[in-house]
Amino acid sequence: MIIRPRIRGFICTTAHPSGCAARVRDQIERATPFNNPPRKVLVVGASGGYGLASRIVSGFGGGAATLGVSFEKAPKANKTATAGWYNNLAFETEAQKRGLYAKTLDGDAFSDDMKSQVVAEIQSSLGQIDLFVYSLAAPLRQHPRTGIVHRSAIKPLGEPFHVKSLNKDTGEVFDTTLDPANDAETEATVAVMGGEDWEFWIDSLMEGGVLAPEAKTVAYTYIGSKLTWPIYWQGTLGQAKVDLDRAASAIRKRLSDIGGQAHVAALKAVVTQASAAIPVVPLYLALLFKIMKEAGNHEDCLAHINRLFQTALYSPTSIDLDDQDRIRMDDWELSQPVQDEVVRRWELVETANVATVADLEGIRKDFLELFGFGIDGVDYEVEVNPVMERG
Ligand code: NAD
C-alpha cells in the first residue's frame, strides 16, 4: 500500500517503514565513539526519542550489546505498525549487520512480568549489564502491586494558567487557559512519570544479580525555563520529576553496595511523541529551535545524547552536578542569551509572523519524521507492505 501520514492532533496514526528505517540509519551514522563505553546496556523506552538515541549511541557509538524494552504495536495487513516498532526493526537489522547483540521486548515496562522477562533475558544472553537507561514516557501506568490504573494529567498546579499556544498544523497562535490539576490528578501523574517504577526496575535487576559491579543507571528529566515552568516544572509533570530526583537518591544508596552510580540527566527540549502532547511546548519549541539554529547550537535527540555520553556519563574527567546531583545537559538551551531571545520573541509571536519569528517548519518536519514521513531520499509513492517480520 501507499502509506500517507494521518495526523490526529498530536499523534500520527500511520508510520512509514522505509522512512523510520532511514531515520534510524541516519542516527546510527551520526553516533560517535566515546571513552570507556558500556559493554552491555538495557534501555527501557528504547523505541523512540531519547531512549532510541541512547540505544543508538550505546550500540553504534560504543559497540555495546543492547536490550530494549518498549510498548509498540506490530503491523497488520491493513494497518501499519507504530513508528517505534519499525524503529526497533531497523535498529535490530543494522545491529545484526555489525554483529551486535540487539533484542527488543515489547510489552508493559511497568509490569512485574516484563521485569522478570528482562532479568531472564539478561541472565541467559548477557550475564550482567553495566548501563541501565530509564527513558519511559507514558500516559498511564497500571500499578503492579495494587492493579490501579493511573492516568497522568499534564496540568498546572494552583491557579489556572493563561498562556499563548500554537496549533502546529494550522499555524494558529492563540490564547488559552489551562485549568489546574486536583490532588488526585497530581498523584496519578507522579505515579506514572515519577521514580517508583525506576526503583522497581533496580530492585528486580539487583535481585536477579544482573547489575555488573560499578554499573550506572540514568533517567531523564526536563526542567526548562520560566516560560514553561507553569505547565511543566511547577505543574504535575514537575512533581513527577521531583519524585524522580528522590528516586535517584534512593537508588544511589542501593547501588553503593556494587559501587554503582545513579543519575538524573536534565535534557534539552526536543520534538518527540511525548513532548508533542504537552500544551504550550510546541510554541516554545518552535521559538527555541529558531534561536538555537541561528546560534549554531541546536541539537536533536541523537546529537544531544552523543554529548551526554561523551562529556558527562562517560567523561574521563569528573563532571559538575547541580545541587540535586543531576547532570545538566540543558545548559545550552537555558543559556541567558538563548532564553532572553525566547522571551523577547514570545511577546511578539502571533499567527501572522510565527513562520518567520519561530521555526514552525522545523517542528512540523520533526513531527512528521517521528513517524517516518518527510525523510529525504525516501520515495513515498512506492507501494510498501506494512507487514514485516522481526527476528
Ligand atoms: P518518547 O515518547 O519519544 O518515547 C517514550 C518511550 O517509552 C517509547 O519507547 C515507548 O514505547 C516507551 N513506552 C511508553 N509506555 C511504555 C510502557 N508502558 N511500557 C514500555 N515502554 C513504554 O519520549 P521521550 O520524549 O524520548 O521521553 C523519554 C524521557 O526523556 C522522559 O522521561 C522525558 O520526560 C524525558 N525528556 C524528554 C524531553 C523532550 O523534550 N522530549 C526533554 C527532556 C527530558
Side-chain angles (χ1 to χ4, degrees):
M1 65 199 236
I2 303 280
I3 304 171
R4 306 263 183 235
R6 215 177 293 148
I7 297 171
R8 303 273 178 276
F10 52 78
I11 190 82
C12 177
T13 60
T14 51
H16 201 284
S18 318
C20 290
R23 191 161 168 272
V24 168
R25 284 196 302 270
D26 167 69
Q27 292 190 67
I28 286 172
E29 278 165 25
R30 291 189 290 124
T32 47
F34 54 96
N35 273 317
N36 202 12
R39 309 301 341 161
K40 296 168 183 176
V41 179
L42 168 65
V43 182
V44 172
S47 60
Y50 278 130
L52 175 60
S54 304
R55 190 178 193 188
I56 290 174
V57 171
S58 298
F60 293 90
T66 60
L67 175 59
V69 176
S70 58
F71 196 66
E72 302 296 342
K73 289 200 186 107
K76 297 183 183 148
N78 57 353
K79 192 168 183 351
T80 71
T82 52
W85 194 92
Y86 291 130
N87 291 341
N88 290 339
L89 170 64
F91 183 94
E92 290 155 8
T93 306
E94 295 304 314
Q96 199 178 19
K97 283 186 201 161
R98 300 203 198 177
L100 289 173
Y101 164 97
K103 180 158 183 152
T104 316
L105 299 174
D106 265 320
D108 184 8
F110 294 122
S111 68
D112 287 341
D113 178 52
M114 177 54 80
K115 292 178 176 76
S116 304
Q117 281 186 54
V118 165
V119 168
E121 176 59 27
I122 297 172
Q123 286 169 340
S124 66
S125 300
L126 299 172
Q128 290 188 317
I129 52 163
D130 47 9
L131 173 64
F132 167 35
V133 179
Y134 185 80
S135 186
L136 274 191
L140 57 84
R141 169 183 178 215
Q142 178 163 32
H143 197 283
R145 312 284 190 263
T146 64
I148 294 171
V149 177
H150 301 280
R151 285 171 203 281
S152 66
I154 305 175
K155 290 186 170 184
L157 294 178
E159 301 292 316
F161 178 36
H162 308 287
V163 66
K164 270 185 189 175
S165 200
L166 167 69
N167 178 327
K168 72 164 172 39
D169 301 321
T170 62
E172 187 197 357
V173 177
F174 57 97
D175 291 322
T176 187
T177 298
L178 303 168
D179 289 327
N182 58 35
D183 289 348
E185 289 172 318
T186 308
E187 281 163 26
T189 310
V190 173
V192 179
M193 288 297 288
E196 187 187 47
D197 183 58
W198 186 24
E199 292 181 276
F200 284 0
W201 270 101
I202 294 292
D203 290 345
S204 298
L205 297 170
M206 294 279 280
E207 280 156 24
V210 296
L211 281 183
E214 299 182 16
K216 295 178 199 253
T217 183
V218 64
Y220 298 143
T221 196
Y222 183 67
I223 294 171
S225 72
K226 64 181 182 187
L227 281 171
T228 54
W229 281 344
I231 186 63
Y232 202 100
W233 190 250
Q234 295 168 343
T236 51
L237 272 175
Q239 292 294 299
K241 294 301 192 184
V242 167
D243 189 61
L244 196 70
D245 291 331
R246 175 204 59 73
S249 168
I251 291 171
R252 260 192 292 280
K253 291 197 187 96
R254 276 218 75 184
L255 292 191
S256 62
D257 292 353
I258 59 162
Q261 288 178 29
H263 285 296
V264 166
L267 303 185
K268 169 188 188 286
V270 288
V271 177
T272 64
Q273 292 198 39
S275 69
I278 306 173
V280 185
V281 163
L283 182 56
Y284 174 76
L285 285 172
L287 290 166
L288 180 75
F289 285 14
K290 183 85 172 183
I291 293 157
M292 292 188 84
K293 283 177 185 177
E294 284 170 4
N297 61 6
H298 175 73
E299 296 169 304
D300 66 0
C301 287
L302 196 280
H304 197 56
I305 296 295
N306 255 338
R307 185 160 70 91
L308 169 70
F309 277 55
Q310 275 173 10
T311 66
L313 222 42
Y314 291 93
S315 164
T317 54
S318 68
I319 50 162
D320 290 337
L321 301 174
D322 72 8
D323 58 359
Q324 298 293 316
D325 285 327
R326 298 185 203 104
I327 297 171
R328 298 301 296 258
M329 301 308 295
D330 53 358
D331 48 346
W332 295 356
E333 169 181 346
L334 297 186
S335 71
Q336 203 63 49
V338 167
Q339 286 303 317
D340 286 351
E341 188 57 15
V342 176
V343 169
R344 191 185 73 78
R345 294 193 197 195
W346 188 276
E347 296 304 319
L348 55 93
V349 69
E350 57 188 17
T351 306
N353 64 15
V354 65
T356 49
V357 168
D359 190 17
L360 181 59
E361 271 316 298
I363 65 159
R364 281 177 173 163
K365 184 167 170 49
D366 281 4
F367 179 79
L368 277 178
E369 286 188 359
L370 292 178
F371 305 92
F373 296 105
I375 313 271
D376 291 343
V378 175
D379 186 348
Y380 292 98
E381 302 308 319
V382 170
E383 293 265 351
V384 279
N385 183 353
V387 180
M388 299 177 167
E389 293 293 317
R390 252 173 74 196

